[in-house]
């Protein structure tokens, strides 16, 4: 699989439920980041987790990182209709000029 | 809040024509990037730029592509002779010391 593969590809939940998205990657990383993209718009940075961190929180977001399994998860708690968007993980590898490698993304739909 | 601005929002061109996509990064950022996203696909890295030179480029970024920072504020992507397959959303991004990238809203390039 490609660097930064997310699953599921699509997720549909009701408002108030939690949404969990997973990401796998292949190479060594400096950090892993999650971005959000509303339809037809640019990407918005959500959260960054460094390679030496295992868990990080920001508001309703919780990110975990398991470097031994080369995987990460993004949990959005108490989802809202406004959370409807595509979510991408992006890996920042060492000595790569800062380039981010994005996965295919998870399309999240939160129904009111 | 500072933001990355891109112009134009939509560019239509004929195959073989040259296009220049323009970006104004966040003013105190030092690292600049171009990505593209073909409709329905993931975001792909094109090039990173630091200290007036290319830091890293992908295999997509061939001789038809060039980047320039002509003054202290603009960052441009030029495609010399556009092909049909260049049709995509092109995103500019900039970052500071910790590689959190701020993206513009994108330019939709349509090559006819």
């Amino acid at each position: 699989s490609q660097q930064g593969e997310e699953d599921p590809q699509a997720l549909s939940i009701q408002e108030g439920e939690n949404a969990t998205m997973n990401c796998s990657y292949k190479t060594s990383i400096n950090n892993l980041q999650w971005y959000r993209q509303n339809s037809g718009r640019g990407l918005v940075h959500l959260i960054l987790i460094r390679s030496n961190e295992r868990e990080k929180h920001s508001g309703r977001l919780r990110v975990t990182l398991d470097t031994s399994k080369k995987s990460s998860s993004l949990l959005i708690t108490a989802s809202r209709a406004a959370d409807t968007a595509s979510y991408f993980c992006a890996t920042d590898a060492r000595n790569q000029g800062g380039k981010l490698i994005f996965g295919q993304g998870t399309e999240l739909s939160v129904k009111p | 809040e500072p933001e990355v601005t891109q112009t134009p929002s939509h560019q239509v061109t004929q195959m073989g024509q040259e296009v220049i996509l323009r970006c104004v990064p966040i003013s105190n950022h030092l690292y600049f990037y171009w990505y593209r996203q073909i409709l329905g696909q993931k975001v792909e890295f094109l090039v990173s730029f630091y200290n007036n030179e290319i830091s890293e480029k992908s295999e997509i970024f061939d001789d038809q592509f060039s980047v320039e920072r002509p003054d202290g504020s603009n960052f441009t992507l030029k495609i010399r002779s556009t092909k049909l397959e260049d049709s995509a959303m092109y995103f500019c991004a900039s970052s500071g010391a910790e590689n959190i990238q701020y993206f513009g809203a994108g330019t939709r390039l349509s090559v006819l």
Side-chain angles (χ1 to χ4, degrees), chain A residues 8-26:
Chain A
Q9 290 187 334
L11 180 62
S12 182
I13 59 174
Q14 294 294 129
E15 235 177 357
E17 293 181 339
N18 296 340
T20 299
M21 290 159 264
N22 302 295
C23 167
S24 61
Y25 60 93
K26 287 194 164 185

Side-chain angles (χ1 to χ4, degrees), chain A residues 2-5 31 33 35 37 40-45 48 50 88 92 95-104, chain B residues 31 33 35 37 40-45 48-49 55-58 89 91 98-106 108:
Chain A
Q2 299 283 328
Q3 179 90 338
E5 288 292 301
N31 61 67
Q33 304 180 36
Y35 285 80
Q37 184 181 37
R41 304 298 302 274
L43 294 105
V44 176
H45 178 264
L48 177 152
R50 297 182 185 85
F88 297 88
D92 177 4
N95 302 317
Q96 294 284 307
K99 78 175 180 184
L100 296 178
I101 300 177
F102 286 84
Q104 294 279 5
Chain B
Y31 303 87
Y33 313 87
Y35 294 83
Q37 186 178 32
Q41 298 186 23
K42 63 182 176 181
V43 176
E44 300 175 288
F45 170 81
S48 59
F49 191 85
S55 308
E56 184 78 18
K57 60 182 181 178
S58 71
M89 280 288 283
F91 294 106
E98 185 168 45
N99 193 23
I100 294 174
Q101 296 186 17
Y102 293 81
F103 284 75
R108 181 176 301 282

Side-chain angles (χ1 to χ4, degrees), chain B residues 13-74:
Chain B
T13 190
Q14 294 290 324
M15 193 169 55
Q17 294 296 304
E18 175 183 287
V19 293
I20 298 176
L21 310 183
R22 302 181 191 278
C23 170
V24 179
I26 293 173
S27 61
N28 62 347
H29 283 178
L30 299 177
Y31 303 87
F32 314 110
Y33 313 87
W34 284 100
Y35 294 83
R36 79 172 185 190
Q37 186 178 32
I38 295 170
L39 187 63
Q41 298 186 23
K42 63 182 176 181
V43 176
E44 300 175 288
F45 170 81
L46 292 178
V47 66
S48 59
F49 191 85
Y50 169 71
N51 201 24
N52 281 322
E53 60 183 31
I54 291 173
S55 308
E56 184 78 18
K57 60 182 181 178
S58 71
E59 60 274 9
I60 302 167
F61 194 88
D62 61 21
D63 292 345
Q64 293 301 311
F65 291 85
S66 63
V67 288
E68 195 177 34
R69 188 155 162 81
D71 53 42
S73 60
N74 291 286

